[in-house]
Amino acid sequence: MKEQDLKKMLRFIFILGSLAMLLVISMIVGTMLIQQHPEWLHALKENHSSKNNISNQQENEPNEEVEWTPEALEAVGLVEGEGLQLVLTHCTNCHSAKLITQNRFTKEGWIQVIRWMQATQGLWELGDAEAEIVTYLSKHFAPEARGRRIPLEVEWYDL
Amino acid sequence: MSLATMASILGAEIVYAKQMLNDYIPIGINEQEDLKSLGKDPALKVLNDRPWNVETPIHLLDDKVTPAEKMFVRNNGQLPKRPDPGSWKLTIQGESVKSEKSYSLSELKSKFKQFTFQVTLECGGNGRGEFYPPTEGNQWGQGAVSCANWTGVRLKDVLQDVGIKADAVYIGYYGTDEHLSGDPKKESISRGVPIAKAMEEETLLAFQMNGKDIPLANGYPLRLVVGGYPASVSGKWLKTIAVRNKVHDGAKMETPSYQVPIEPMEPGEAIKAENMQIITSMPIRSIITYPKSGATFALSAALKIRGHAWAGEQEVSKVAYSIDFGSTWTSATLEKPVNRFAWQHFEAQIKFPKKGYYEVWAMATDDQGKSQPMVVPGWNPKGYLNNACHRIAVKVT
């Protein structure tokens, strides 16, 4: 092998080595940065999900914890109370909370609805959350006794 | 709408807005806009916007033929994206077809004779909100009903073209509405009717409503239209019909969905699946669409009332009204249906004896002598078939 060829080869190995080092360093730095700024990943996810906005796709798992404004809660008929956060996490993924707040059941009744969704609609096991969810629902959305027909609710106007 | 605009409308900061997923866009802000984008009158009542369940206030059902923007919506799954009608195919398959066959929309339109019928479509759960103890699901008032002109081809003609075997007992439909969980293996709803019902003259594969494309939320580009039965058998976004050699077993055919007790039961009681049966004909019902409840007027004026009456698979033979809580009844004038399964129109002029608060009640009777009950009828676990007579309040001054 000529001396010149050997020099060429050594230079090549050196360049390759430095490139590999650079890659490793940037990976380490990147991981550290993302650990400090997790919202960067959320931003990525948000971009992705907003593309699916129209088809309204959901994942079949509980929601991340998010905070609702009082106005947003009122719009779907939910009220503050112990267990609310669990309801938001487990019960607003597939359908709007409006489907929940239209209904009125006892504890047993709410458990029955949950069992029906678990058996037929793909609702997951709620574990420890179930008791608190059922307590919240049966406290705030309990049946009110009424007769065979209730008085009409009237908004008067001139005909 | 951007989060920033939304926050400014709410007049409050949306906490953790960055983490807010699509699902969390507060409802109520967008509701009216969304109704418009669905092609619906913003005055309709949204019971649920995911999935869409939208009721028509009774006074907005005054038209003889329900316009698209006033037709109620009962979706069980996600609203499909607007499909390309050019590539739409309907497939007829199942144990009891001689061989599977598919048709494009243009093949359906050109190959078979077209018919138009006015068909009353009513949700099986219409009136659910009045049951006590409360029953599961959307708490409908009495406005989950419509009667539009449906144009299409007879299902019977298409099934005869495919060729069905002698052992056929039922048909089942499949549409393109994805399950709410997003799980592609799950069906939102896949119901059906006995083969004899499928073969009726008026049972249509409809591609037009009131002479136009069917609204997306009501089944564009193709839906089944089966008169007299709960509207849930009139499958929307229709892709497949299975001709079955047994009762169809798709989603929401199982107990207790669209089933009622065989024997009358005590309200709130538990019941075994074998004691329930699938709903067939809807019960008789009438609604007063004019005036809107709450009218005040002078004693000297006579009150004109009008509305519609229908009776599932039967015909309505009489509508009467009462202004004294059912003590006395007076007949209204009643029109014949334009065809089988179309609702019928009634009207009357009422003179009130003295000033005060009145309720006008309407009660229809069918050709077999069956009338509407004045109170909520037999309780059932899912709150179907409440056909208690409709009431409006008026004040004579």
Side-chain angles (χ1 to χ4, degrees):
Chain A
M1 203 187 287
K2 279 193 224 146
E3 198 182 328
Q4 225 173 357
D5 279 350
L6 194 71
K7 261 192 189 160
K8 238 190 207 166
M9 210 153 104
L10 276 175
R11 204 181 295 144
F12 183 68
I13 288 170
F14 176 76
I15 290 171
L16 213 72
S18 352
L19 273 175
M21 279 252 284
L22 247 151
L23 204 75
V24 169
I25 289 169
S26 58
M27 267 165 77
I28 292 169
V29 171
T31 321
M32 273 162 56
L33 273 172
I34 279 182
Q35 260 171 4
Q36 275 170 4
H37 299 275
E39 70 274 9
W40 292 357
L41 272 183
H42 279 297
L44 274 176
K45 193 167 167 189
E46 216 176 38
N47 267 343
H48 171 73
S49 55
S50 66
K51 269 188 213 135
N52 290 333
N53 212 345
I54 301 161
S55 70
N56 202 10
Q57 276 167 352
Q58 291 105 28
E59 286 151 32
N60 204 1
E61 57 187 45
N63 289 313
E64 293 168 49
E65 244 186 56
V66 289
E67 209 144 301
W68 284 42
T69 60
E71 291 84 354
L73 287 175
E74 202 190 317
V76 294
L78 284 171
V79 290
E80 295 283 355
E82 203 174 321
L84 171 64
Q85 190 56 52
L86 287 173
V87 169
L88 295 176
T89 306
H90 291 284
C91 306
T92 60
N93 188 298
C94 298
H95 46 71
S96 147
K98 279 195 138 190
L99 187 53
I100 300 167
T101 57
Q102 284 181 59
N103 282 278
R104 296 285 181 279
F105 300 115
T106 58
K107 229 174 184 142
E108 295 69 39
W110 279 111
I111 290 172
Q112 213 171 310
V113 179
I114 288 172
R115 293 289 170 272
W116 172 76
M117 278 181 294
Q118 286 170 332
T120 61
Q121 307 298 333
L123 173 62
W124 43 85
E125 287 301 319
L126 296 168
D128 291 344
E130 182 173 299
E132 210 175 311
I133 288 175
V134 169
T135 305
Y136 170 88
L137 292 171
S138 56
K139 179 172 169 200
H140 300 286
F141 301 96
E144 284 160 39
R146 62 175 125 97
R148 277 275 177 194
R149 297 219 86 173
I150 53 168
L152 291 171
E153 265 177 48
V154 195
E155 263 176 57
W156 297 108
Y157 67 93
D158 287 333
L159 185 66
Chain B
M1 187 190 305
S2 76
L3 284 174
T5 4
M6 206 152 72
S8 70
I9 289 174
L10 285 176
E13 192 188 348
I14 297 175
V15 193
Y16 295 137
K18 260 193 209 152
Q19 275 165 278
M20 198 152 101
L21 305 177
N22 299 323
D23 306 348
Y24 283 98
I25 290 179
I27 298 140
I29 309 170
N30 279 337
E31 216 161 66
Q32 239 110 62
E33 282 308 309
D34 285 349
L35 272 180
K36 275 192 228 153
S37 69
L38 273 189
K40 296 294 167 186
D41 187 328
L44 300 199
K45 185 177 174 197
V46 176
L47 301 186
N48 190 2
D49 62 342
R50 188 161 47 89
W52 282 109
N53 282 274
V54 182
E55 172 165 356
T56 315
I58 300 286
H59 68 280
L60 294 182
L61 286 171
D62 196 38
D63 302 84
K64 289 198 163 180
V65 176
T66 312
E69 67 274 14
K70 291 178 185 162
M71 177 173 284
F72 78 100
V73 179
R74 192 324 181 209
N75 289 354
N76 291 260
Q78 301 183 30
L79 181 66
K81 275 189 205 154
R82 196 171 182 84
D84 167 25
S87 57
W88 192 268
K89 279 227 177 327
L90 170 72
T91 303
I92 315 284
Q93 56 175 42
E95 302 99 354
S96 299
V97 294
K98 290 193 176 134
S99 64
E100 184 177 310
K101 201 164 172 181
S102 292
Y103 302 88
S104 68
L105 284 180
S106 56
E107 277 168 335
L108 282 179
K109 289 176 190 172
S110 59
K111 203 163 170 182
F112 303 98
K113 186 162 187 254
Q114 297 187 14
F115 296 86
T116 298
F117 297 112
Q118 240 174 63
V119 182
T120 310
L121 289 181
E122 180 181 17
C123 175
N126 199 20
R128 174 178 295 135
E130 268 195 297
F131 278 106
Y132 185 83
T135 52
E136 283 172 40
N138 287 290
Q139 300 297 303
W140 298 102
Q142 300 189 60
V145 63
S146 65
C147 186
N149 275 309
W150 293 95
T151 301
V153 298
R154 281 183 173 142
L155 176 58
K156 174 177 124 175
D157 294 346
V158 176
L159 292 184
Q160 272 160 3
D161 185 60
V162 174
I164 61 173
K165 296 184 195 160
D167 67 351
V169 296
Y170 228 86
I171 63 135
Y173 67 75
Y174 298 90
T176 58
D177 45 340
E178 276 178 50
H179 191 263
L180 293 175
S181 63
D183 181 349
K185 291 191 291 287
K186 282 197 147 331
E187 296 159 1
S188 295
I189 185 163
S190 167
R191 304 198 66 243
V193 291
I195 193 76
K197 186 76 190 162
M199 301 299 266
E200 273 184 353
E201 303 285 295
E202 298 84 359
T203 299
L204 293 179
L205 294 167
F207 37 75
Q208 276 198 337
M209 193 184 99
N210 296 341
K212 298 200 182 97
D213 283 348
I214 300 171
L216 180 63
N218 299 106
Y220 178 83
L222 187 70
R223 81 174 289 177
L224 261 171
V225 173
V226 187
Y229 272 40
S232 60
V233 302
S234 293
K236 300 186 277 287
W237 314 288
L238 186 66
K239 281 300 276 185
T240 306
I241 287 182
V243 184
R244 310 295 312 267
N245 61 6
K246 56 177 181 186
V247 173
H248 182 55
D249 50 5
K252 305 248 163 124
M253 285 302 291
E254 74 286 350
T255 322
S257 293
Y258 302 100
Q259 296 196 6
V260 287
I262 296 170
E263 293 167 357
M265 67 187 290
E266 189 182 337
E269 223 182 346
I271 184 168
K272 292 204 181 88
E274 66 258 34
N275 295 330
M276 302 274 281
Q277 61 190 353
I278 299 170
I279 300 169
T280 54
S281 178
M282 290 295 288
I284 185 162
R285 187 197 282 279
S286 57
I287 48 175
I288 303 167
T289 57
Y290 180 89
K292 180 181 163 197
S293 183
T296 60
F297 49 90
L299 181 61
S300 56
L303 179 71
K304 256 193 193 168
I305 63 162
R306 61 173 177 262
H308 319 292
W310 62 99
E313 298 196 288
Q314 301 308 127
E315 192 173 314
V316 179
S317 53
K318 183 181 158 188
V319 173
Y321 69 86
S322 174
I323 56 168
D324 52 14
F325 306 95
S327 297
T328 60
W329 294 90
T330 309
S331 285
T333 343
L334 176 70
E335 288 178 27
K336 284 277 190 195
V338 295
N339 53 251
R340 200 174 170 220
F341 304 126
W343 65 18
Q344 296 165 242
H345 316 292
F346 67 86
E347 57 177 34
Q349 284 241 16
I350 310 175
K351 279 295 284 178
F352 289 83
K354 54 180 153 188
K355 288 191 254 178
Y357 171 91
Y358 294 86
E359 288 177 15
V360 184
W361 295 8
M363 178 172 68
T365 306
D366 74 13
D367 49 10
Q368 297 186 324
K370 264 197 174 177
S371 299
Q372 293 179 257
M374 285 180 258
V375 295
V376 178
W379 189 91
N380 60 90
K382 288 282 285 176
Y384 297 119
L385 312 185
N386 169 18
N387 63 335
C389 68
H390 180 225
R391 310 171 288 165
I392 60 166
V394 299
K395 204 180 264 179
V396 183
T397 51

